[in-house]
Amino acid sequence: MVKLTGVDKKKIAVFISGTGSNLLNLIRYSKKKNSFFKINLIISNNRKARGLNYARKYKIKKKIVNYSNINIAEKNILSELKKNQIDLVCLAGFMKILSNNIIQKFKGKIINIHPSLLPKYRGLNTHKRAIDNKEKYSGCTVHYVNFKLDSGKIISQKKVRIFKNDTERKLARKILQQEHILYPKTLNKILSNL
Ligand code: GRF
C-alpha cells in the first residue's frame, strides 16, 4: 500500500454549521496510513458551531463566514479555498445552500453526506418522515453537490434497518454512526481514483 506524506495528500475543506461529528471522523481517518487526504480548512457559517473546537484541537485552519450577505459570504469562501489550494470540499452538516456560482467554480469537487437513502427524503426531518411512512430501511448517502438540493449523483450509500420501536432520535443515532464510517471511506475511494 502507498504511504503518502502530508505533502502528497489531497487538501480538503470541510464545511460545518454544528456538532461536527462527521468532521471529527474525517480528521481521524485522514491521519491513517492509507488515507489520501488531509483536512486543511474548516469553514463554518456559525461562530458557535461546536465542531469548530476541532480546529484548535487538531491545529487546522478555520474560517467563520458571515452569511448576512450571501454574495460576500461566497466570495470569501472562494478566496479561502483558493488561498489554501483546496482540492475538494466536503459538506458535513453545513446548513447553507451553495449558489450555482460556487458550485460551477468547484464543479465535481463538492460532496455532501445526507441522512437518508436518496433520492428518498431530500431536505430536512428525514428520520421523522421515514418513520411516519413506515419505511423498513433508511440510511445515509454520500453524493456530489449540484444545482438542486440533495439531488447530485450518488456515490455511496449505507442502509440502516428501522425497527418498530425506533424513535427519531434512536434512528438518527444509528444512521450517524454509519455516516462516520461511510463518509471518510467514500472520500478516500474518490481520491484514490483521481
Ligand atoms: C448529519 O446527520 C449529516 O448527514 C447531515 O447533518 C448532520 C451533521 O452532523 N447533513 P455532524 O455535525 O457531522 O455531527
CSV table of all heavy atoms in Angstrom, one decimal, residues 25-82:
chain,number,residue,atom,x,y,z
A,25,ASN,N,-14.6,12.6,12.4
A,25,ASN,CA,-14.3,11.3,11.8
A,25,ASN,C,-13.5,11.4,10.5
A,25,ASN,O,-12.7,10.6,10.2
A,25,ASN,CB,-15.5,10.4,11.7
A,25,ASN,CG,-15.9,9.9,13.0
A,25,ASN,OD1,-15.4,8.9,13.5
A,25,ASN,ND2,-16.8,10.6,13.7
A,26,LEU,N,-13.7,12.5,9.8
A,26,LEU,CA,-12.9,12.7,8.6
A,26,LEU,C,-11.4,13.1,9.1
A,26,LEU,O,-10.5,12.6,8.5
A,26,LEU,CB,-13.4,13.9,7.8
A,26,LEU,CG,-14.7,13.6,7.0
A,26,LEU,CD1,-15.4,14.9,6.5
A,26,LEU,CD2,-14.4,12.7,5.8
A,27,ILE,N,-11.3,13.9,10.1
A,27,ILE,CA,-10.0,14.2,10.6
A,27,ILE,C,-9.3,12.9,11.1
A,27,ILE,O,-8.1,12.7,10.7
A,27,ILE,CB,-10.0,15.2,11.8
A,27,ILE,CG1,-10.6,16.5,11.4
A,27,ILE,CG2,-8.6,15.4,12.4
A,27,ILE,CD1,-10.9,17.5,12.5
A,28,ARG,N,-10.0,12.1,11.9
A,28,ARG,CA,-9.3,10.9,12.4
A,28,ARG,C,-8.9,10.0,11.2
A,28,ARG,O,-7.8,9.4,11.3
A,28,ARG,CB,-10.3,10.1,13.2
A,28,ARG,CG,-10.5,10.8,14.6
A,28,ARG,CD,-11.4,9.9,15.5
A,28,ARG,NE,-11.5,10.4,16.8
A,28,ARG,CZ,-12.5,10.3,17.6
A,28,ARG,NH1,-13.6,9.7,17.2
A,28,ARG,NH2,-12.5,10.8,18.8
A,29,TYR,N,-9.7,9.8,10.2
A,29,TYR,CA,-9.4,8.9,9.1
A,29,TYR,C,-8.2,9.5,8.3
A,29,TYR,O,-7.3,8.8,7.9
A,29,TYR,CB,-10.6,8.8,8.2
A,29,TYR,CG,-10.4,7.7,7.2
A,29,TYR,CD1,-11.1,6.5,7.4
A,29,TYR,CD2,-9.6,7.8,6.0
A,29,TYR,CE1,-11.0,5.4,6.4
A,29,TYR,CE2,-9.5,6.8,5.1
A,29,TYR,CZ,-10.2,5.6,5.3
A,29,TYR,OH,-10.0,4.6,4.4
A,30,SER,N,-8.1,10.8,8.2
A,30,SER,CA,-7.1,11.5,7.5
A,30,SER,C,-5.7,11.2,8.0
A,30,SER,O,-4.7,11.3,7.4
A,30,SER,CB,-7.3,13.0,7.4
A,30,SER,OG,-6.9,13.6,8.6
A,31,LYS,N,-5.7,10.8,9.3
A,31,LYS,CA,-4.4,10.5,10.0
A,31,LYS,C,-3.9,9.1,9.8
A,31,LYS,O,-2.9,8.7,10.2
A,31,LYS,CB,-4.5,10.9,11.5
A,31,LYS,CG,-4.8,12.4,11.6
A,31,LYS,CD,-4.6,12.8,13.0
A,31,LYS,CE,-4.9,14.3,13.2
A,31,LYS,NZ,-4.1,15.2,12.3
A,32,LYS,N,-4.8,8.3,9.2
A,32,LYS,CA,-4.4,6.9,8.9
A,32,LYS,C,-3.4,6.8,7.9
A,32,LYS,O,-3.3,7.6,7.0
A,32,LYS,CB,-5.7,6.1,8.5
A,32,LYS,CG,-6.7,5.9,9.6
A,32,LYS,CD,-7.7,4.9,9.0
A,32,LYS,CE,-8.7,4.6,10.1
A,32,LYS,NZ,-9.5,3.5,9.8
A,33,LYS,N,-2.6,5.7,7.9
A,33,LYS,CA,-1.5,5.4,7.0
A,33,LYS,C,-2.0,5.4,5.5
A,33,LYS,O,-1.3,5.9,4.7
A,33,LYS,CB,-0.9,4.1,7.3
A,33,LYS,CG,0.2,4.1,8.2
A,33,LYS,CD,1.3,3.0,8.0
A,33,LYS,CE,0.7,1.6,8.0
A,33,LYS,NZ,0.6,1.0,9.3
A,34,ASN,N,-3.2,4.8,5.3
A,34,ASN,CA,-3.6,4.7,3.9
A,34,ASN,C,-4.6,5.8,3.5
A,34,ASN,O,-5.3,5.6,2.5
A,34,ASN,CB,-4.3,3.3,3.8
A,34,ASN,CG,-5.5,3.2,4.6
A,34,ASN,OD1,-5.7,3.9,5.6
A,34,ASN,ND2,-6.4,2.2,4.3
A,35,SER,N,-4.6,6.9,4.2
A,35,SER,CA,-5.5,8.0,3.7
A,35,SER,C,-4.9,8.8,2.6
A,35,SER,O,-3.7,9.1,2.7
A,35,SER,CB,-5.9,8.8,4.9
A,35,SER,OG,-5.4,10.1,4.8
A,36,PHE,N,-5.7,9.2,1.7
A,36,PHE,CA,-5.2,10.1,0.6
A,36,PHE,C,-5.5,11.5,0.8
A,36,PHE,O,-5.4,12.3,-0.1
A,36,PHE,CB,-5.9,9.6,-0.7
A,36,PHE,CG,-5.4,8.3,-1.2
A,36,PHE,CD1,-6.3,7.2,-1.0
A,36,PHE,CD2,-4.2,8.1,-1.8
A,36,PHE,CE1,-5.8,5.9,-1.5
A,36,PHE,CE2,-3.8,6.9,-2.2
A,36,PHE,CZ,-4.6,5.8,-2.1
A,37,PHE,N,-5.9,11.9,2.0
A,37,PHE,CA,-6.3,13.3,2.2
A,37,PHE,C,-5.9,13.8,3.6
A,37,PHE,O,-5.6,13.1,4.5
A,37,PHE,CB,-7.8,13.5,2.0
A,37,PHE,CG,-8.7,12.7,3.0
A,37,PHE,CD1,-9.1,13.3,4.2
A,37,PHE,CD2,-9.1,11.4,2.8
A,37,PHE,CE1,-9.9,12.6,5.1
A,37,PHE,CE2,-9.9,10.7,3.7
A,37,PHE,CZ,-10.3,11.3,4.9
A,38,LYS,N,-5.9,15.2,3.6
A,38,LYS,CA,-5.6,15.9,4.8
A,38,LYS,C,-6.7,17.0,4.9
A,38,LYS,O,-7.1,17.6,3.9
A,38,LYS,CB,-4.2,16.5,4.6
A,38,LYS,CG,-3.6,17.2,5.8
A,38,LYS,CD,-2.1,17.5,5.5
A,38,LYS,CE,-1.5,18.1,6.7
A,38,LYS,NZ,-1.6,19.5,6.8
A,39,ILE,N,-7.1,17.3,6.1
A,39,ILE,CA,-8.1,18.3,6.3
A,39,ILE,C,-7.3,19.6,6.5
A,39,ILE,O,-6.7,19.8,7.6
A,39,ILE,CB,-9.1,18.1,7.5
A,39,ILE,CG1,-9.7,16.7,7.5
A,39,ILE,CG2,-10.1,19.2,7.6
A,39,ILE,CD1,-10.5,16.4,6.2
A,40,ASN,N,-7.4,20.5,5.6
A,40,ASN,CA,-6.6,21.8,5.7
A,40,ASN,C,-7.4,23.0,6.1
A,40,ASN,O,-6.8,24.0,6.5
A,40,ASN,CB,-6.0,22.1,4.3
A,40,ASN,CG,-4.8,21.2,4.0
A,40,ASN,OD1,-5.0,20.0,3.9
A,40,ASN,ND2,-3.7,21.8,3.8
A,41,LEU,N,-8.7,22.9,6.0
A,41,LEU,CA,-9.5,24.1,6.3
A,41,LEU,C,-10.9,23.6,6.8
A,41,LEU,O,-11.5,22.7,6.3
A,41,LEU,CB,-9.6,24.9,5.0
A,41,LEU,CG,-10.4,26.1,5.0
A,41,LEU,CD1,-9.8,27.2,5.9
A,41,LEU,CD2,-10.6,26.7,3.6
A,42,ILE,N,-11.4,24.4,7.8
A,42,ILE,CA,-12.7,24.2,8.3
A,42,ILE,C,-13.5,25.5,8.1
A,42,ILE,O,-13.0,26.5,8.6
A,42,ILE,CB,-12.8,23.8,9.8
A,42,ILE,CG1,-12.0,22.5,10.0
A,42,ILE,CG2,-14.2,23.6,10.3
A,42,ILE,CD1,-11.7,22.1,11.4
A,43,ILE,N,-14.6,25.4,7.4
A,43,ILE,CA,-15.4,26.6,7.2
A,43,ILE,C,-16.7,26.5,7.9
A,43,ILE,O,-17.4,25.4,7.8
A,43,ILE,CB,-15.6,26.9,5.7
A,43,ILE,CG1,-14.3,27.4,5.1
A,43,ILE,CG2,-16.7,27.9,5.5
A,43,ILE,CD1,-14.3,27.9,3.7
A,44,SER,N,-17.1,27.5,8.7
A,44,SER,CA,-18.4,27.5,9.3
A,44,SER,C,-19.2,28.8,9.1
A,44,SER,O,-18.5,29.8,9.2
A,44,SER,CB,-18.2,27.2,10.8
A,44,SER,OG,-19.5,27.3,11.5
A,45,ASN,N,-20.5,28.7,9.0
A,45,ASN,CA,-21.3,29.9,8.9
A,45,ASN,C,-21.7,30.3,10.3
A,45,ASN,O,-22.3,31.4,10.5
A,45,ASN,CB,-22.5,29.7,8.0
A,45,ASN,CG,-23.4,28.6,8.7
A,45,ASN,OD1,-23.0,27.5,8.9
A,45,ASN,ND2,-24.7,29.0,8.9
A,46,ASN,N,-21.4,29.4,11.3
A,46,ASN,CA,-21.9,29.7,12.6
A,46,ASN,C,-20.7,29.7,13.6
A,46,ASN,O,-20.0,28.7,13.8
A,46,ASN,CB,-22.9,28.5,13.0
A,46,ASN,CG,-23.3,28.5,14.4
A,46,ASN,OD1,-23.0,29.4,15.2
A,46,ASN,ND2,-23.8,27.3,14.8
A,47,ARG,N,-20.5,30.9,14.2
A,47,ARG,CA,-19.3,31.0,15.0
A,47,ARG,C,-19.4,30.2,16.3
A,47,ARG,O,-18.4,29.9,17.0
A,47,ARG,CB,-19.0,32.4,15.3
A,47,ARG,CG,-20.0,33.2,16.2
A,47,ARG,CD,-19.6,34.6,16.6
A,47,ARG,NE,-19.2,35.4,15.4
A,47,ARG,CZ,-18.0,35.6,15.0
A,47,ARG,NH1,-17.0,35.2,15.6
A,47,ARG,NH2,-17.8,36.4,13.9
A,48,LYS,N,-20.7,29.7,16.6
A,48,LYS,CA,-20.8,28.9,17.8
A,48,LYS,C,-20.8,27.4,17.5
A,48,LYS,O,-21.1,26.6,18.4
A,48,LYS,CB,-22.1,29.3,18.5
A,48,LYS,CG,-22.1,30.7,19.1
A,48,LYS,CD,-23.2,30.9,20.1
A,48,LYS,CE,-23.0,32.3,20.7
A,48,LYS,NZ,-24.3,33.0,20.7
A,49,ALA,N,-20.6,27.0,16.3
A,49,ALA,CA,-20.6,25.6,16.0
A,49,ALA,C,-19.6,24.8,16.8
A,49,ALA,O,-18.4,25.2,16.9
A,49,ALA,CB,-20.2,25.4,14.5
A,50,ARG,N,-20.1,23.8,17.5
A,50,ARG,CA,-19.2,23.0,18.4
A,50,ARG,C,-18.1,22.4,17.7
A,50,ARG,O,-17.0,22.3,18.2
A,50,ARG,CB,-20.0,21.9,19.1
A,50,ARG,CG,-20.5,22.4,20.4
A,50,ARG,CD,-21.2,21.4,21.3
A,50,ARG,NE,-20.8,20.0,21.1
A,50,ARG,CZ,-21.7,19.0,21.2
A,50,ARG,NH1,-23.0,19.2,21.4
A,50,ARG,NH2,-21.3,17.8,21.1
A,51,GLY,N,-18.3,22.0,16.4
A,51,GLY,CA,-17.3,21.4,15.6
A,51,GLY,C,-16.0,22.3,15.4
A,51,GLY,O,-14.9,21.8,15.1
A,52,LEU,N,-16.2,23.6,15.7
A,52,LEU,CA,-15.0,24.5,15.5
A,52,LEU,C,-13.9,24.2,16.5
A,52,LEU,O,-12.8,24.5,16.3
A,52,LEU,CB,-15.5,26.0,15.6
A,52,LEU,CG,-16.2,26.5,14.4
A,52,LEU,CD1,-16.8,27.9,14.7
A,52,LEU,CD2,-15.2,26.6,13.2
A,53,ASN,N,-14.3,23.5,17.6
A,53,ASN,CA,-13.3,23.2,18.6
A,53,ASN,C,-12.3,22.2,18.1
A,53,ASN,O,-11.1,22.2,18.5
A,53,ASN,CB,-14.0,22.5,19.8
A,53,ASN,CG,-14.8,23.5,20.6
A,53,ASN,OD1,-14.5,24.7,20.7
A,53,ASN,ND2,-15.9,23.1,21.1
A,54,TYR,N,-12.7,21.4,17.0
A,54,TYR,CA,-11.7,20.5,16.5
A,54,TYR,C,-10.6,21.3,15.7
A,54,TYR,O,-9.5,20.7,15.5
A,54,TYR,CB,-12.4,19.5,15.5
A,54,TYR,CG,-13.4,18.7,16.3
A,54,TYR,CD1,-14.7,18.6,15.9
A,54,TYR,CD2,-13.0,18.0,17.4
A,54,TYR,CE1,-15.7,17.9,16.6
A,54,TYR,CE2,-14.0,17.2,18.1
A,54,TYR,CZ,-15.3,17.2,17.7
A,54,TYR,OH,-16.2,16.5,18.4
A,55,ALA,N,-10.9,22.5,15.3
A,55,ALA,CA,-9.8,23.3,14.6
A,55,ALA,C,-8.7,23.5,15.6
A,55,ALA,O,-7.5,23.3,15.2
A,55,ALA,CB,-10.4,24.6,14.1
A,56,ARG,N,-9.0,23.9,16.8
A,56,ARG,CA,-8.0,24.2,17.8
A,56,ARG,C,-7.3,22.9,18.2
A,56,ARG,O,-6.1,22.8,18.2
A,56,ARG,CB,-8.6,24.8,19.0
A,56,ARG,CG,-7.6,25.4,19.9
A,56,ARG,CD,-8.1,26.3,21.0
A,56,ARG,NE,-9.5,26.5,21.1
A,56,ARG,CZ,-10.3,25.9,22.0
A,56,ARG,NH1,-9.8,25.1,22.8
A,56,ARG,NH2,-11.6,26.2,22.0
A,57,LYS,N,-8.1,21.9,18.5
A,57,LYS,CA,-7.5,20.6,18.9
A,57,LYS,C,-6.6,20.0,17.9
A,57,LYS,O,-5.5,19.5,18.3
A,57,LYS,CB,-8.7,19.6,19.2
A,57,LYS,CG,-8.2,18.3,19.7
A,57,LYS,CD,-9.3,17.5,20.4
A,57,LYS,CE,-8.7,16.2,20.9
A,57,LYS,NZ,-9.7,15.2,21.0
A,58,TYR,N,-6.9,20.0,16.7
A,58,TYR,CA,-6.1,19.4,15.6
A,58,TYR,C,-5.3,20.4,14.8
A,58,TYR,O,-4.7,20.0,13.8
A,58,TYR,CB,-7.0,18.5,14.7
A,58,TYR,CG,-7.6,17.3,15.4
A,58,TYR,CD1,-8.8,17.4,15.9
A,58,TYR,CD2,-6.8,16.2,15.6
A,58,TYR,CE1,-9.4,16.3,16.6
A,58,TYR,CE2,-7.4,15.1,16.3
A,58,TYR,CZ,-8.6,15.2,16.8
A,58,TYR,OH,-9.2,14.1,17.4
A,59,LYS,N,-5.2,21.6,15.3
A,59,LYS,CA,-4.4,22.7,14.6
A,59,LYS,C,-4.8,22.8,13.1
A,59,LYS,O,-3.9,22.7,12.3
A,59,LYS,CB,-2.9,22.4,14.8
A,59,LYS,CG,-2.5,22.4,16.3
A,59,LYS,CD,-1.0,22.4,16.4
A,59,LYS,CE,-0.6,22.6,17.8
A,59,LYS,NZ,-1.3,21.8,18.9
A,60,ILE,N,-6.0,22.9,12.9
A,60,ILE,CA,-6.5,23.1,11.5
A,60,ILE,C,-7.0,24.5,11.3
A,60,ILE,O,-7.7,25.0,12.2
A,60,ILE,CB,-7.6,22.1,11.2
A,60,ILE,CG1,-7.1,20.6,11.3
A,60,ILE,CG2,-8.2,22.3,9.7
A,60,ILE,CD1,-8.3,19.6,11.3
A,61,LYS,N,-6.7,25.1,10.2
A,61,LYS,CA,-7.1,26.5,10.0
A,61,LYS,C,-8.7,26.5,9.9
A,61,LYS,O,-9.3,25.7,9.3
A,61,LYS,CB,-6.5,26.9,8.6
A,61,LYS,CG,-6.7,28.4,8.4
A,61,LYS,CD,-5.8,28.9,7.2
A,61,LYS,CE,-6.3,30.2,6.9
A,61,LYS,NZ,-5.7,30.7,5.6
A,62,LYS,N,-9.3,27.6,10.5
A,62,LYS,CA,-10.7,27.7,10.4
A,62,LYS,C,-11.1,29.1,9.9
A,62,LYS,O,-10.3,30.0,10.1
A,62,LYS,CB,-11.4,27.4,11.8
A,62,LYS,CG,-11.1,28.5,12.8
A,62,LYS,CD,-11.9,28.4,14.0
A,62,LYS,CE,-11.6,29.6,14.9
A,62,LYS,NZ,-11.7,29.4,16.3
A,63,LYS,N,-12.2,29.1,9.3
A,63,LYS,CA,-12.7,30.4,8.8
A,63,LYS,C,-14.2,30.5,9.1
A,63,LYS,O,-15.0,29.6,8.7
A,63,LYS,CB,-12.4,30.5,7.3
A,63,LYS,CG,-13.0,31.7,6.7
A,63,LYS,CD,-12.1,32.9,6.8
A,63,LYS,CE,-12.7,34.1,6.2
A,63,LYS,NZ,-12.0,35.3,6.6
A,64,ILE,N,-14.6,31.5,9.8
A,64,ILE,CA,-16.1,31.7,10.1
A,64,ILE,C,-16.6,32.7,9.0
A,64,ILE,O,-16.0,33.8,8.9
A,64,ILE,CB,-16.3,32.2,11.5
A,64,ILE,CG1,-15.9,31.1,12.5
A,64,ILE,CG2,-17.8,32.6,11.7
A,64,ILE,CD1,-15.4,31.6,13.8
A,65,VAL,N,-17.6,32.3,8.3
A,65,VAL,CA,-18.1,33.1,7.2
A,65,VAL,C,-19.5,33.7,7.6
A,65,VAL,O,-20.4,33.0,8.0
A,65,VAL,CB,-18.3,32.3,5.9
A,65,VAL,CG1,-18.8,33.2,4.8
A,65,VAL,CG2,-16.9,31.8,5.5
A,66,ASN,N,-19.5,35.0,7.6
A,66,ASN,CA,-20.8,35.8,7.9
A,66,ASN,C,-21.7,35.7,6.7
A,66,ASN,O,-21.4,36.2,5.6
A,66,ASN,CB,-20.4,37.2,8.2
A,66,ASN,CG,-21.6,38.0,8.5
A,66,ASN,OD1,-22.7,37.6,8.3
A,66,ASN,ND2,-21.4,39.2,9.0
A,67,TYR,N,-22.9,35.1,6.9
A,67,TYR,CA,-23.8,34.9,5.8
A,67,TYR,C,-24.9,36.0,5.6
A,67,TYR,O,-25.9,35.7,5.0
A,67,TYR,CB,-24.4,33.5,5.9
A,67,TYR,CG,-23.9,32.5,4.9
A,67,TYR,CD1,-22.7,31.9,5.0
A,67,TYR,CD2,-24.6,32.3,3.7
A,67,TYR,CE1,-22.2,31.0,4.1
A,67,TYR,CE2,-24.1,31.4,2.7
A,67,TYR,CZ,-22.9,30.8,2.9
A,67,TYR,OH,-22.5,29.9,2.0
A,68,SER,N,-24.7,37.1,6.3
A,68,SER,CA,-25.7,38.1,6.2
A,68,SER,C,-25.9,38.6,4.7
A,68,SER,O,-26.9,39.1,4.3
A,68,SER,CB,-25.5,39.3,7.1
A,68,SER,OG,-24.3,39.8,7.0
A,69,ASN,N,-24.8,38.5,4.0
A,69,ASN,CA,-24.9,38.7,2.5
A,69,ASN,C,-24.3,37.6,1.8
A,69,ASN,O,-23.1,37.3,1.9
A,69,ASN,CB,-24.1,40.0,2.2
A,69,ASN,CG,-24.1,40.3,0.7
A,69,ASN,OD1,-24.0,39.5,-0.1
A,69,ASN,ND2,-24.3,41.6,0.4
A,70,ILE,N,-25.1,36.8,1.1
A,70,ILE,CA,-24.6,35.5,0.5
A,70,ILE,C,-23.5,35.8,-0.5
A,70,ILE,O,-22.6,35.0,-0.6
A,70,ILE,CB,-25.8,34.7,-0.1
A,70,ILE,CG1,-25.2,33.3,-0.5
A,70,ILE,CG2,-26.6,35.4,-1.1
A,70,ILE,CD1,-26.2,32.3,-0.9
A,71,ASN,N,-23.6,36.9,-1.3
A,71,ASN,CA,-22.6,37.1,-2.3
A,71,ASN,C,-21.2,37.3,-1.7
A,71,ASN,O,-20.2,36.8,-2.2
A,71,ASN,CB,-23.0,38.3,-3.2
A,71,ASN,CG,-24.2,38.0,-4.0
A,71,ASN,OD1,-24.4,36.8,-4.5
A,71,ASN,ND2,-25.1,39.0,-4.2
A,72,ILE,N,-21.2,38.1,-0.7
A,72,ILE,CA,-20.0,38.4,0.0
A,72,ILE,C,-19.5,37.1,0.7
A,72,ILE,O,-18.3,36.8,0.7
A,72,ILE,CB,-20.1,39.6,1.0
A,72,ILE,CG1,-20.5,40.8,0.3
A,72,ILE,CG2,-18.8,39.8,1.8
A,72,ILE,CD1,-20.8,42.0,1.2
A,73,ALA,N,-20.4,36.4,1.3
A,73,ALA,CA,-20.0,35.2,2.0
A,73,ALA,C,-19.3,34.2,1.0
A,73,ALA,O,-18.2,33.7,1.3
A,73,ALA,CB,-21.3,34.5,2.6
A,74,GLU,N,-19.9,34.0,-0.1
A,74,GLU,CA,-19.4,33.1,-1.1
A,74,GLU,C,-18.1,33.6,-1.7
A,74,GLU,O,-17.2,32.8,-2.0
A,74,GLU,CB,-20.4,32.7,-2.2
A,74,GLU,CG,-21.5,31.9,-1.6
A,74,GLU,CD,-22.3,31.2,-2.6
A,74,GLU,OE1,-22.3,31.5,-3.8
A,74,GLU,OE2,-23.0,30.2,-2.2
A,75,LYS,N,-17.9,34.9,-1.8
A,75,LYS,CA,-16.7,35.5,-2.3
A,75,LYS,C,-15.6,35.1,-1.3
A,75,LYS,O,-14.5,34.7,-1.7
A,75,LYS,CB,-16.8,37.0,-2.4
A,75,LYS,CG,-16.3,37.6,-3.7
A,75,LYS,CD,-16.7,39.0,-3.8
A,75,LYS,CE,-15.6,39.7,-4.6
A,75,LYS,NZ,-15.7,41.1,-4.5
A,76,ASN,N,-15.9,35.3,0.0
A,76,ASN,CA,-14.9,34.9,1.0
A,76,ASN,C,-14.6,33.5,1.0
A,76,ASN,O,-13.4,33.1,1.1
A,76,ASN,CB,-15.4,35.3,2.4
A,76,ASN,CG,-15.5,36.8,2.6
A,76,ASN,OD1,-14.7,37.6,1.9
A,76,ASN,ND2,-16.3,37.3,3.4
A,77,ILE,N,-15.6,32.6,0.8
A,77,ILE,CA,-15.3,31.2,0.8
A,77,ILE,C,-14.4,30.9,-0.4
A,77,ILE,O,-13.4,30.2,-0.2
A,77,ILE,CB,-16.7,30.4,0.6
A,77,ILE,CG1,-17.5,30.5,1.9
A,77,ILE,CG2,-16.4,29.0,0.3
A,77,ILE,CD1,-18.8,29.8,1.9
A,78,LEU,N,-14.7,31.4,-1.6
A,78,LEU,CA,-13.9,31.1,-2.8
A,78,LEU,C,-12.5,31.5,-2.6
A,78,LEU,O,-11.5,30.8,-3.0
A,78,LEU,CB,-14.5,31.7,-4.0
A,78,LEU,CG,-15.7,30.9,-4.6
A,78,LEU,CD1,-16.4,31.7,-5.7
A,78,LEU,CD2,-15.2,29.6,-5.2
A,79,SER,N,-12.3,32.7,-2.0
A,79,SER,CA,-11.0,33.2,-1.8
A,79,SER,C,-10.2,32.3,-0.8
A,79,SER,O,-9.0,32.0,-1.0
A,79,SER,CB,-11.0,34.6,-1.4
A,79,SER,OG,-10.5,34.9,-0.1
A,80,GLU,N,-10.9,31.8,0.3
A,80,GLU,CA,-10.2,30.9,1.2
A,80,GLU,C,-9.8,29.5,0.5
A,80,GLU,O,-8.8,29.0,0.8
A,80,GLU,CB,-11.1,30.6,2.4
A,80,GLU,CG,-11.2,31.6,3.4
A,80,GLU,CD,-9.9,32.0,4.1
A,80,GLU,OE1,-9.1,31.1,4.4
A,80,GLU,OE2,-9.6,33.2,4.2
A,81,LEU,N,-10.8,29.1,-0.3
A,81,LEU,CA,-10.5,27.8,-1.0
A,81,LEU,C,-9.3,27.9,-1.9
A,81,LEU,O,-8.4,27.0,-2.0
A,81,LEU,CB,-11.7,27.3,-1.8
A,81,LEU,CG,-13.0,27.0,-1.0
A,81,LEU,CD1,-14.1,26.6,-1.9
A,81,LEU,CD2,-12.7,25.9,0.0
A,82,LYS,N,-9.2,29.0,-2.6
A,82,LYS,CA,-8.1,29.3,-3.5
A,82,LYS,C,-6.8,29.5,-2.7
A,82,LYS,O,-5.8,28.8,-3.0
A,82,LYS,CB,-8.4,30.6,-4.3
A,82,LYS,CG,-7.7,30.6,-5.6
A,82,LYS,CD,-8.3,31.7,-6.5
A,82,LYS,CE,-7.3,31.8,-7.6
A,82,LYS,NZ,-7.5,33.1,-8.3
